Amino acid sequence: MKPERQLIDTPRRARGKKRGWGPLFLAAFVGLSRLLWAPLLCMGLGVAAYRWLSHVESFQVEQVAVRHNQKAGAEEILALSGLTSKDNLVSLAAGDVEERVEEHPWVERAAVYRRFPSTVVIEVSEHEAAMAANLSDEEGGSLYLINREGLVFKKAEPREVSGLPLISGFAVEEARGGAPRAMNGISNALEILALAKAPGALSLDEISEMVVEGEEGGLSLLLSRPEAPGAFVRIGRPPYAPKWKRLEKLFADLARRGIAARQVDFVSDTRVVAVPAAVSAEEI
């Protein structure tokens, strides 16, 4: 009898344990469903709302405002943006519009904002030309504009280079390809222009041309002075601050003596050799 009770009781205990896990799994499933249904419902409602709003006529583009443009025409920017009255502010891809507007040669950066219910605002930041460049290219040679970061950003029209100092001595492909000769020359020229803005004997208006010489981007300057004939200055490589101070002192000394320099060569950062007009070389 004892073995029979064991044979009957053991399966009952096993079956009881199996039935105990079922309610636990069911309870866990119900609890998890309650946690998930609300986010899923909200997500579905959000997608439905977006689809509906992206087709609402009240949110279609009716006006485009272009701001902070001076060189780039508003009509040109509008044409590049690709915006039409069929576009909807909700579904508008602002990043794509910004990229298209930045294709304008004068536009450095663009930002697009929505103004509900029906206005798009395009704000642009334009390049600021620091100097003009006479560079060799596939056409033999053309004028270009270089901004304050040293970027050759567009081919220039004659009216756009008025009043800008000129740099030459390398090809446009070298500048756009990052060749050391061009990059060093542009960087050196920007440093010279920054020094020329400080009060002193030489001003920015007196620098009519800068010529890049050598792979290290050393410079020669053609100065145009109203009170005397222009001088050709081989200023060479940096550092330029001590050379610029020496150059200012040199021209001041020559002016007091009534001498006009035709050419100036830097032997070192502080020592120069000047060739006065119609006079033999004189070391100063």
Side-chain angles (χ1 to χ4, degrees):
M1 294 297 295
K2 206 169 186 179
E4 289 180 4
R5 283 196 297 269
Q6 289 178 346
L7 290 172
I8 294 172
D9 292 342
T10 301
R12 286 177 182 174
R13 285 196 296 270
R15 287 196 296 270
K17 289 181 180 179
K18 289 180 180 178
R19 284 199 302 270
W21 285 106
L24 291 176
F25 283 131
L26 179 60
F29 176 77
V30 172
L32 184 61
S33 299
R34 289 177 177 176
L35 290 174
L36 292 177
W37 77 267
L40 290 174
L41 178 60
C42 291
M43 185 181 300
L45 290 174
V47 171
Y50 173 81
R51 290 179 177 176
W52 177 72
L53 290 172
S54 62
H55 291 84
V56 173
E57 291 185 3
S58 300
F59 294 151
Q60 287 181 329
V61 177
E62 294 181 0
Q63 182 178 0
V64 178
V66 179
R67 297 178 179 174
H68 309 315
N69 61 304
Q70 295 181 346
K71 303 291 187 180
E75 294 296 330
E76 297 173 344
I77 292 175
L78 179 59
L80 283 172
S81 74
L83 292 170
T84 69
S85 59
K86 296 180 180 180
D87 289 302
N88 182 285
L89 259 66
V90 176
S91 59
L92 179 68
D96 293 343
V97 177
E98 291 169 352
E99 290 181 3
R100 291 195 295 268
V101 171
E102 288 171 358
E103 292 176 4
H104 193 288
W106 274 108
V107 176
E108 185 174 13
R109 289 181 300 275
V112 174
Y113 304 97
R114 300 172 178 87
R115 295 290 182 266
F116 285 92
S118 57
T119 300
V120 175
V121 178
I122 302 175
E123 293 186 353
V124 299
S125 175
E126 296 181 332
H127 293 281
E128 185 177 356
M131 52 187 161
N134 186 9
L135 307 180
S136 57
D137 55 17
E138 65 278 0
E139 299 177 4
S142 303
L143 291 173
Y144 292 83
L145 294 178
I146 300 177
N147 67 10
R148 297 187 179 278
E149 286 71 46
L151 174 68
V152 179
F153 66 92
K154 76 179 296 287
K155 183 174 286 190
E157 299 177 13
R159 60 180 176 81
E160 294 174 331
V161 303
S162 177
L164 292 175
L166 185 69
I167 187 171
S168 62
F170 53 92
V172 66
E173 291 81 5
E174 292 181 283
R176 291 176 172 170
R181 171 189 175 88
M183 294 296 96
N184 291 336
I186 292 173
S187 177
N188 292 342
L190 290 171
E191 183 178 347
I192 290 290
L193 296 180
L195 289 171
K197 289 183 178 179
L202 294 175
S203 69
L204 187 62
D205 294 335
E206 296 182 74
I207 302 175
S208 59
E209 187 173 357
M210 297 170 284
V211 182
V212 177
E213 298 177 344
E215 291 300 320
E216 296 183 358
L219 294 177
S220 291
L221 312 177
L222 180 61
L223 304 181
S224 178
R225 315 195 71 195
E227 74 281 0
F232 186 75
V233 179
R234 287 195 175 92
I235 198 168
R237 298 172 295 175
Y240 290 124
K243 291 183 177 182
W244 201 254
K245 290 181 179 179
R246 186 67 185 94
L247 197 59
E248 291 173 348
K249 184 177 183 300
L250 170 66
F251 281 113
D253 291 343
L254 291 176
R256 283 193 296 269
R257 297 160 59 182
I259 301 174
R262 184 183 68 209
Q263 181 173 321
V264 177
D265 293 307
F266 273 83
V267 179
S268 66
D269 291 348
T270 57
R271 184 166 174 263
V272 295
V273 173
V275 179
V279 181
S280 60
E282 178 181 356
E283 184 173 326
I284 301 176

